[in-house]
Amino acid sequence: MSLLHLRRARTSLVLDARGPGLPRVVHWGGDVGDLDDDGLRQLAAATVPPVVPSSFDAPTVLSLLPEASAGWSGRPALAGHRDRADWSTAFRLDGLDVDDPADDASPARVAVRASDPGAGLSLTVELTLDPTGLLVLRHRLRNDGDTPYELRELTPVLPVPAVATELLDLTGRWCRERSPQRHPWPMGTWVREGRHGRTGHDATLLLVAGTAGFGFGHGEVWAVHTAWSGDHVTLAERRPTGQATLGGGELLAPGEVVLGPGASYASPLLYAAWSDAGLDGLSDALHTHLRARPRHPRSPRPVTLNVWEAVYFDHDLDRLRALADQAAEVGVERFVLDDGWFRGRRADTAGLGDWYVDEDVWPDGLHPLVTHVTKLGLEFGLWVEPEMVNPDSDLFRAHPDWVLAAPGRMPPPWRNQQVLDLAHPEAYAYLLDRLDALLNENPGIGYLKWDHNRDLTEAGHRGRPGVHAQTEAVYRLLDELRRRHPAVEIESCASGGARVDLEILARTDRVWASDCNDALERLAIQRWTGLLLPPELVGSHIGPERSHTTHRVHDLGFRATTALFGHYGIEWDISSISPAERAELAAWVAAHKRLRPLLHGGRVVRVDHPDPAVWAHGVVAHDGSRAVYAVSRLATSVAEVPGPVRLPGLDPARRYAVRPAEGVPAPATVQRSEPGWLASGATLTGAALARVGLQAPALHPEQALLLEVTALD
Ligand code: DGJ
């Protein structure tokens, strides 16, 4: 047993694993340099707190799983019992498996093995420090006893130093996902719970603790993400002992997980990131990590037309064919047929569960449309909502017992639907069979939009709490479908962005960030979704001129510039637009395609502008050769001309040409004359652009300027 120091990408993790108990996290944060054994011993000793009056007689230090037996009186990281015994543990360290290659491009891995023979439990803590500096950890608990052990909670936590005094997390609702909330970090526990049976519109993608006033480009920050698509908790705890932690895990209902003899439970993965370059530094580590995954989508993300807001349930072959023609004309590459194609689905009141093409609406099946679309050179995508069932469906009439419910009553309906119990083997087999058959019968389908339009409420499986098993079954179903149809991409949608987390993204290719296509709302939704996800994973569509969800009206330029920084698409009845609008739309699609390699591969930066009505963000190529930025005016300001906008992230020493994006119309402004540099562009160093910035034109509210930046040397 020893002191361990893992280092990657300017991040250090120091563990005191000298035993006899669980390892203590001596440090998680900025790199502490090359320390020899003595240096590590000194660091460990220097960070042990003193013993103060009215406290335990020995210092209390935080282990990887804080336990009452080691003096932890905060929120328990492990809770459970064996018929009311074995409710508290004192794990002893059994061994460590360390794999820490000298090569910084490989991850460092540690598995900590511990057991409490008295309680009949053993624990493995799996830790990976990724080459990006991202720390990923999970606890695995095994019941070594010969009677059942009921697990109530197993939540990995990590210590955060006292310099982190502010918290930022995200909340939200339908059409307003990822709304930030920020406050000083007080004593006590800040708990973000999601009990929706899905990740939730209000899920905080990250819980961030940081130094006072941290922003996108400055401040020292620590953050965690709980990767789980069922009930979950993410929390921050600060105690008068001086200890502070961030953590996250699954929320288990009473009796939900009972481990039989020899059985194990694994907590969700907890992703933990540190940066001394503000929130952008956190995103950088997360985005780089996600982009390195073997199955990360690497082909150009096809510009999509989704027909939902164009036709809703009004499926008519000729109309849809015409829409596909117009989509092809403006440069669309993927055509997605949304809700309404299957048996009985003429409105949102019936049909869910009957995954057969509706013979009345589609007498020749989907083939005529699929063939038309694919002949145009577009990929065909199809909407499904596999986990749901309408009581008005053949499936429900035949199998009312396949629904997640408490004994003797149905959960309150939501959008007229209930949830199928996927832990029921026959329900699972039916869904797998239907989805598999659809993909086999329509080989033109290259994409599924996988929706999930209600919370799980009183979700009982055979009389017992069922969310945990349901979440695992959904993962299994997705994994199996992907195994059978590896070329089919899947979008995670849940009434917009209610299923956005890194575990669903381990088996899907993008998320639908929100049902709100209003560009003003979308700016915020995308900015904060982008804290976790790189742009290519975030579906963002140009909606109609008047937003269907907010009734706001926006110019095409504002809608198109806002959607540009994601997986681009259109959700608009473009059959009704003028030739001039169509030409402009085609120009925006062309601009996106030209910028797409940069947008979907570069480093995301966001600007801390002093005027809250001015937002700017950009993507900078990793080699510093190019960048694209959008400057948006959200509202009017008292200062009619807000100060210059800094453009961060470029190579300070290189000279750059900055000019408004080519081939697309300029935004509307209030000025009498433009800033002089706009007409011919500006030539400035990366340092000048980051430190001084550029005076943007005085944009009207709800307008955006797109800037392209190219290195001259
Ligand atoms: C909710 C989704 O978020 C929408 O995009 C659309 O697919 C509808 N469901 C269809 O019912």
Side-chain angles (χ1 to χ4, degrees):
M1 315 296 176
S2 56
L3 283 148
L4 284 179
H5 184 194
L6 308 181
R7 300 168 74 194
R8 292 291 183 279
R10 300 176 51 245
T11 303
S12 277
L13 177 73
V14 181
L15 295 179
D16 182 349
R18 290 175 292 185
L22 286 168
R24 164 195 166 211
V25 181
V26 175
H27 170 73
W28 164 48
D31 187 21
V32 292
D34 194 7
L35 297 178
D36 59 12
D37 284 351
D38 184 54
L40 289 173
R41 261 194 307 275
Q42 299 277 347
L43 183 66
T47 50
V48 172
V51 172
V52 292
S54 189
S55 72
F56 294 107
D57 297 338
T60 303
V61 291
L62 263 180
S63 80
L64 281 168
L65 184 104
E67 297 168 284
S69 56
W72 175 245
S73 47
R75 195 174 193 277
L78 167 64
H81 68 104
R82 188 190 305 278
D83 194 15
R84 297 190 291 161
D86 301 335
W87 47 272
S88 191
T89 58
F91 282 105
R92 289 291 163 266
L93 185 57
D94 293 333
L96 294 172
D97 303 317
V98 183
D99 174 19
D100 185 9
D103 146 36
D104 277 359
S106 307
R109 296 180 206 280
V110 178
V112 176
R113 288 176 280 109
S115 59
D116 178 345
L121 295 170
S122 54
L123 177 79
T124 308
V125 182
E126 299 164 0
L127 278 160
T128 304
L129 188 63
D130 192 79
T132 62
L134 195 68
L135 181 62
V136 187
L137 76 151
R138 112 174 322 155
H139 291 339
R140 241 177 243 281
L141 186 78
R142 196 181 64 215
N143 176 12
D144 296 332
D146 46 20
T147 56
Y149 175 84
E150 183 191 343
L151 180 65
R152 297 302 314 274
E153 167 137 22
L154 184 59
T155 306
V157 295
L158 285 166
V160 173
V163 290
T165 55
E166 287 180 15
L167 291 180
L168 167 79
D169 64 342
L170 311 174
T171 182
R173 58 164 166 83
W174 180 71
C175 277
R176 185 75 149 79
E177 293 88 340
R178 325 279 89 99
S179 222
Q181 45 186 10
R182 185 171 179 150
H183 52 82
W185 189 356
M187 288 292 167
T189 313
W190 178 250
V191 183
R192 293 299 319 282
E193 294 190 335
R195 296 180 188 274
H196 307 285
R198 54 181 178 175
T199 325
H201 288 109
D202 60 345
T204 183
L205 303 188
L206 287 186
L207 173 51
V208 184
T211 48
F214 68 82
F216 286 111
H218 62 275
E220 193 174 358
V221 279
W222 291 256
V224 291
H225 166 76
T226 311
W228 190 247
S229 317
D231 293 348
H232 66 283
V233 60
T234 309
L235 55 95
E237 181 168 16
R238 178 185 288 287
R239 311 199 55 244
T241 53
Q243 291 153 328
T245 54
L246 292 178
E250 187 178 4
L251 277 177
L252 298 172
E256 183 153 29
V257 170
V258 179
L259 298 174
S264 299
Y265 167 88
S267 69
L269 290 174
L270 185 73
Y271 289 77
W274 167 86
S275 163
D276 59 358
L279 298 169
D280 285 354
L282 297 176
S283 298
D284 200 20
L286 286 153
H287 296 181
T288 309
H289 169 85
L290 290 169
R291 284 173 170 166
R293 299 171 306 161
R295 271 213 62 160
H296 189 76
R298 288 191 173 77
S299 56
R301 301 291 73 217
V303 176
T304 299
L305 182 124
N306 181 297
V307 307
W308 178 241
E309 290 202 359
V311 303
Y312 290 106
F313 290 105
D314 184 12
H315 284 199
D316 173 83
L317 179 58
D318 289 339
R319 185 172 172 200
L320 289 164
R321 274 199 288 231
L323 203 51
D325 294 342
Q326 285 139 3
E329 256 177 57
V330 297
V332 164
E333 298 159 311
R334 174 184 277 164
F335 180 91
V336 179
L337 182 66
D338 211 280
D339 195 355
W341 56 268
F342 46 98
R343 269 188 203 158
R345 189 68 167 174
R346 304 278 51 81
D348 67 6
T349 49
L352 286 173
D354 296 343
W355 300 109
Y356 298 87
V357 180
D358 190 299
E359 295 82 353
D360 295 338
V361 183
W362 298 92
D364 300 314
L366 295 176
H367 301 286
L369 183 63
V370 178
T371 308
H372 185 82
V373 166
T374 47
K375 273 200 181 140
L376 287 167
L378 275 62
E379 188 185 274
F380 188 86
L382 191 67
W383 179 96
V384 290
E385 193 181 3
E387 294 134 275
M388 298 295 158
V389 64
N390 286 120
D392 185 0
S393 66
D394 293 341
L395 184 73
F396 183 85
R397 282 182 281 273
H399 302 286
D401 55 318
W402 284 7
V403 164
L404 283 172
R409 57 178 179 266
M410 276 285 156
W414 177 319
R415 209 192 188 206
N416 313 297
Q417 62 199 57
Q418 297 291 353
V419 187
L420 280 180
D421 179 2
L422 265 61
H424 191 303
E426 287 169 47
Y428 178 92
Y430 165 79
L431 278 183
L432 177 59
D433 177 62
R434 283 317 312 143
L435 292 166
D436 190 37
L438 264 171
L439 294 173
N440 288 331
E441 286 157 16
N442 298 282
I445 299 176
Y447 178 80
L448 289 179
K449 175 178 176 184
W450 187 298
D451 210 339
H452 185 287
N453 284 306
R454 69 158 292 165
D455 279 5
L456 272 59
T457 315
E458 275 207 309
H461 163 74
R462 296 194 168 134
R464 301 222 165 105
V467 175
H468 175 79
Q470 177 81 357
T471 311
E472 289 193 322
V474 174
Y475 292 159
R476 262 202 322 278
L477 182 62
L478 280 159
D479 290 343
E480 181 55 22
L481 270 175
R482 274 162 74 93
R483 196 188 63 72
R484 294 186 189 184
H485 304 276
V488 174
E489 292 196 0
I490 303 179
E491 171 177 48
S492 172
C493 170
S495 313
R499 191 149 62 181
V500 178
D501 64 77
L502 293 188
E503 201 57 52
I504 201 74
L505 269 159
R507 33 192 65 81
T508 53
D509 301 283
R510 72 169 215 172
V511 299
W512 181 226
S514 179
D515 276 351
C516 184
N517 291 317
D518 171 328
L520 186 65
E521 303 287 330
R522 268 291 184 143
L523 257 181
I525 294 168
Q526 289 169 198
R527 167 171 275 202
W528 295 105
T529 305
L531 210 52
L532 182 70
L533 301 183
E536 65 273 19
L537 295 184
V538 182
S540 50
H541 295 175
I542 302 170
E545 185 177 38
R546 181 181 288 279
S547 159
H548 287 199
T549 53
T550 64
H551 270 232
R552 266 199 205 102
V553 171
H554 287 132
D555 288 352
L556 178 52
F558 186 54
R559 282 137 63 208
T561 306
T562 302
L564 194 93
F565 288 77
H567 180 173
Y568 215 41
I570 300 168
E571 195 147 338
W572 179 19
D573 184 2
I574 55 171
S575 67
S576 61
I577 66 179
S578 69
E581 259 181 317
R582 189 159 306 151
E584 187 184 334
L585 183 59
W588 281 109
V589 170
H592 175 80
K593 287 183 181 169
R594 184 166 53 76
L595 294 166
R596 180 163 56 186
L598 169 62
L599 288 164
H600 293 170
R603 180 173 186 265
V604 172
V605 290
R606 289 148 292 209
V607 176
D608 297 295
H609 195 278
D611 186 330
V614 176
W615 277 24
H617 55 267
V619 180
V620 184
H622 287 284
D623 65 2
S625 60
R626 298 171 71 194
V628 55
Y629 296 89
V631 181
S632 307
R633 186 83 181 251
L634 276 56
T636 60
S637 321
V638 178
E640 192 157 23
V641 181
V645 178
R646 294 171 169 180
L647 303 183
L650 297 160
D651 183 339
R654 287 173 91 171
R655 283 168 63 247
Y656 292 91
V658 185
R659 56 186 163 73
E662 269 168 21
V664 290
T669 57
V670 288
Q671 68 228 348
R672 289 196 296 151
S673 70
E674 306 187 313
W677 67 271
L678 256 188
S680 50
T683 303
L684 290 164
T685 61
L689 287 166
R691 300 238 158 85
V692 183
L694 286 164
Q695 180 55 66
L699 296 169
H700 271 305
E702 301 173 15
Q703 295 287 332
L705 172 72
L706 189 65
L707 293 171
E708 287 189 56
V709 179
T710 317
L712 292 173
D713 35 18

